[in-house]
Amino acid sequence: MLSKCFTLNLHPSSHHSPIPKNSKFPLFHTYPPSKTPKFTHPIHQNHKRCNLSPPRMANPTKPPNFEPDPTLTNEDLKPTTPNQRTFSGWEMASLWIGLVVGVPTYYLAGSLVDLGMAWWQGIATVVAANFILLGPLILTGDPGTRYGISFPVLARSSFGIFGAHIPTLLRALIGCGWYGIETWIGGEAIFILLPKFIKQSSYSKPLSWLGTSPLEFSCFIVFWVTQLAIIWRGIEGIRKLEKYSAPILIILTSCLLIWAYVKANGFTHMLSLSSRLSNAQFWGLFFPSLTANISFWATLALNIPDFTRYAKSQKDQIFGQSGLPIFMGLFTFVGLAVTSSTKVIFGEVISNPIQLLDKIGGLSTTILAIIGISLATLTTNIAANVVAPANALVNLSPSNFTFRKGALLTALLGVAFQPWRLLKSSESFVYTWLIGYSALMGPIGGILLADYYLIRGRKLSVEDLYSLSPNGVYFYCGGFNLVAIFALLFGVFPVIPGFLENVGIVSKVPGVFVGIYNNAWFFSFFSSGFVYWILSIFTRKCKKSLPVDPLLS
């Protein structure tokens, strides 16, 4: 076992030379096949190792004889060039405005008030969750801007060249599920806002084998195709969509808020909503609600390098992301204020904004509603639920997948999830979904940050991120970092009993597991990160303490 901690490195480090100006891939210096340097030493030809920790401090500079392995890269996975760094601070902020303004966000604070919180407690819970999440977002965004690498490539540093498929595919699976859900919401908006004579036709009657009506399914497909047309333009199309949609969404949201204020003669009804919970009941609700709200963007906290790699500078990515808690607080206030006003205006609470816009009626309202709901859903769904799965599929097989092909497969999987069945299966779907998948997102985030900041001191070897050499820093044991995989499982397993009770598979579990589940993101994030950090230090010391043959040193 001790021999597995020992690393052979007989070659001295290479001299460095300037990067050629005419290189299409300026971070790498490439050679024609006939001139590509090859290792001929017999030890390098036959050597295999199981390296549980980084054998050397990664050097961010690139040796002149480095050529990326073609099975690990293509145009979508290469580090971004200076010409591709087009996201300013405002465009990063626009990205988050587009992500925040959407139907699911509209419900967040209102759902907490329905559970018994005061109006200000509901909004404060949402804002607190996003302030907490802002730290991981900015920290994980740093390597994206610093090295121009995407989330799948960053994951190679901690999980290994091949082990990176584990966190990226887990993130992709959740993204596909959310893509289907958001697309169904967009299709539902089209359906509800259709003329009544169409909605009352025979095509609006549900089919048992389909699980929904042909008309609703057709609206779903229309919205599905609309999104695909934007996705097909790649990241630049997404950037423009977010940039130009942000001011439109701000204006439409303000109009809705002003309408509610005028019609209800102020927000007196909302301000009178006091807490119905005792002190103990409030704290019992607060922590699972905080976890659920953190989980809302915990997926983006992992793959935010997919966007920050296009930021002009670290200042731009930090400035753009810092607005997230403010945007979330403002929009959840709008959702809560408008929802509470419907009780005064219509005599009943209408929490669904799509149904509210249908209730208001009028041709101009319908047109604005279609534009607003469509933009809100498009900006959230494409940025949050397409980029990560598409990049994960590209990373899985760069020779077979491009970003476009990955996005198309993501869209198809979104249909396969049959979101109309998922949304109708349980009233607590969102909370079970959010808290449940946070047990997967939390440990991955903890491991990534522990590796990048505590183990490597923000220094990555870009050439080794694209290399299959057994001597590479990130090759570990056959391309898998067993320490990271163990730390991931360590954070996930204690959450499973509480999840099984929550979905009704088991009737009763000990209270400690319920507490762990209610705080799934916190528990898994810190426990996995800590375990990874300790084990990485231990294995590094194990390697350094081994005697070295002076003939091989």
Side-chain angles (χ1 to χ4, degrees):
M1 288 296 295
L2 291 177
S3 63
K4 294 182 178 180
C5 296
F6 182 61
T7 302
L8 289 176
N9 192 349
L10 303 182
H11 286 266
S13 40
S14 310
H15 295 287
H16 302 282
S17 64
I19 298 170
K21 295 181 180 180
N22 60 349
S23 173
K24 293 182 180 179
F25 194 1
L27 290 178
F28 300 133
H29 185 106
T30 59
Y31 287 83
S34 60
K35 296 183 180 181
T36 302
K38 297 181 180 179
F39 290 115
T40 56
H41 197 288
I43 292 181
H44 282 280
Q45 289 178 341
N46 301 317
H47 173 57
K48 293 181 180 179
R49 76 175 181 194
C50 182
N51 183 16
L52 296 180
S53 66
R56 55 187 171 85
M57 180 58 70
N59 188 346
T61 59
K62 276 72 59 186
N65 62 346
F66 174 70
E67 184 174 355
D69 192 287
T71 63
L72 295 177
T73 189
N74 63 13
E75 290 300 322
D76 296 309
L77 286 179
K78 291 178 181 179
T80 51
T81 65
N83 291 335
Q84 293 174 313
R85 306 291 186 93
T86 56
F87 278 42
S88 65
W90 163 245
E91 286 173 325
M92 286 297 299
S94 299
L95 170 71
W96 277 111
I97 292 173
L99 286 166
V100 165
V101 179
V103 175
T105 314
Y106 185 94
Y107 292 124
L108 288 179
S111 64
L112 298 180
V113 172
D114 287 341
L115 293 172
M117 285 189 182
W119 69 271
W120 63 269
Q121 290 174 329
I123 295 174
T125 301
V126 174
V127 173
N130 285 274
F131 264 117
I132 292 171
L133 193 61
L134 185 61
L137 276 165
I138 292 175
L139 292 175
T140 311
D142 180 278
T145 304
R146 183 178 297 270
Y147 297 101
I149 55 176
S150 60
F151 164 58
V153 177
L154 174 63
R156 294 173 185 174
S157 67
S158 52
F159 284 85
I161 295 297
F162 299 131
H165 296 317
I166 297 172
T168 55
L169 289 178
L170 286 174
R171 169 64 182 95
L173 185 65
I174 293 167
C176 291
W178 264 118
Y179 183 86
I181 292 168
E182 290 275 7
T183 304
W184 179 256
I185 290 172
E188 184 184 35
I190 296 174
F191 174 80
I192 290 178
L193 298 173
L194 286 174
K196 289 185 178 180
F197 74 90
I198 296 178
K199 289 189 289 187
Q200 294 174 353
S201 67
S202 59
Y203 294 105
S204 62
K205 295 180 180 179
L207 299 177
S208 58
W209 63 270
L210 183 61
T212 186
S213 69
L215 185 58
E216 287 178 294
F217 184 77
S218 298
C219 294
F220 170 72
I221 294 299
V222 167
F223 198 80
W224 185 90
V225 172
T226 302
Q227 291 180 116
L228 204 59
I230 298 171
I231 294 168
W232 207 249
R233 297 188 62 189
I235 197 70
E236 184 64 16
I238 295 173
R239 181 184 72 86
K240 290 181 178 179
L241 171 70
E242 302 292 342
K243 178 181 179 179
Y244 297 116
S245 296
I248 297 174
L249 291 173
I250 291 173
I251 292 170
L252 293 177
T253 301
S254 301
C255 290
L256 183 62
L257 185 65
I258 293 170
W259 171 87
Y261 182 86
V262 172
K263 287 289 185 180
N265 295 317
F267 296 135
T268 307
H269 182 73
M270 182 194 77
L271 298 176
S272 66
L273 296 173
S274 59
S275 176
R276 305 189 303 275
L277 305 172
S278 66
N279 191 50
Q281 289 174 327
F282 169 78
W283 291 112
L285 175 64
F286 173 77
F287 286 107
S289 300
L290 188 71
T291 301
N293 279 279
I294 288 175
S295 304
F296 198 78
W297 296 125
T299 50
L300 263 294
L302 290 185
N303 74 287
I304 194 64
D306 292 340
F307 299 99
T308 60
R309 65 194 293 235
Y310 295 98
K312 293 180 178 179
S313 66
Q314 292 288 1
K315 181 180 177 180
D316 286 306
Q317 76 97 356
I318 293 172
F319 172 80
Q321 296 203 79
S322 297
L324 172 62
I326 299 172
F327 303 149
M328 287 293 291
L330 291 174
F331 192 68
T332 51
F333 172 83
V334 171
L336 185 56
V338 175
T339 299
S340 62
S341 298
T342 59
K343 178 68 175 177
V344 178
I345 299 169
F346 298 107
E348 60 177 329
V349 175
I350 304 174
S351 58
N352 188 328
I354 302 172
Q355 293 176 348
L356 172 61
L357 293 168
D358 182 49
K359 187 86 172 179
I360 295 173
L363 179 61
S364 59
T365 302
T366 301
I367 293 172
L368 288 174
I370 291 175
I371 294 173
I373 296 295
S374 297
L375 273 181
T377 307
L378 284 170
T379 52
T380 301
N381 205 20
I382 292 176
N385 305 317
V386 172
V387 176
N391 283 338
L393 291 168
V394 172
N395 184 58
L396 185 64
S397 181
S399 60
N400 294 321
F401 280 104
T402 61
F403 179 85
R404 286 180 175 180
K405 290 182 180 179
L408 177 59
L409 183 56
T410 299
L412 291 172
L413 290 174
V415 178
F417 266 81
Q418 300 185 65
W420 53 91
R421 295 185 189 272
L422 291 176
L423 291 172
K424 293 178 181 178
S425 63
S426 172
E427 292 181 0
S428 62
F429 168 76
V430 172
Y431 281 100
T432 302
W433 169 250
L434 288 175
I435 298 179
Y437 76 62
S438 72
L440 297 174
M441 301 296 98
I444 296 171
I447 292 167
L448 286 177
L449 294 181
D451 181 79
Y452 182 66
Y453 287 95
L454 301 181
I455 302 300
R456 306 189 185 281
R458 301 168 72 193
K459 295 180 180 179
L460 297 177
S461 172
V462 176
E463 68 271 16
D464 285 337
L465 289 171
Y466 295 86
S467 173
L468 285 178
S469 169
N471 292 310
V473 180
Y474 314 115
F475 197 74
Y476 299 103
C477 291
F480 294 86
N481 185 2
L482 302 183
V483 169
I485 295 172
F486 175 81
L488 174 64
L489 296 175
F490 185 90
V492 170
F493 278 140
V495 183
I496 294 177
F499 174 77
L500 295 177
E501 183 191 49
N502 187 270
V503 297
I505 295 177
V506 297
S507 57
K508 188 71 175 176
V509 298
V512 64
F513 291 112
V514 175
I516 289 174
Y517 178 75
N518 288 339
N519 299 276
W521 185 86
F522 289 98
F523 175 85
S524 59
F525 179 89
F526 288 106
S527 63
S528 290
F530 180 76
V531 167
Y532 179 82
W533 178 45
I534 295 298
L535 290 181
S536 295
I537 293 175
F538 176 78
T539 51
R540 176 182 290 180
K541 287 182 178 179
C542 169
K543 176 178 70 68
K544 288 182 178 179
S545 65
L546 290 174
V548 180
D549 190 327
L551 295 177
L552 298 177
S553 61

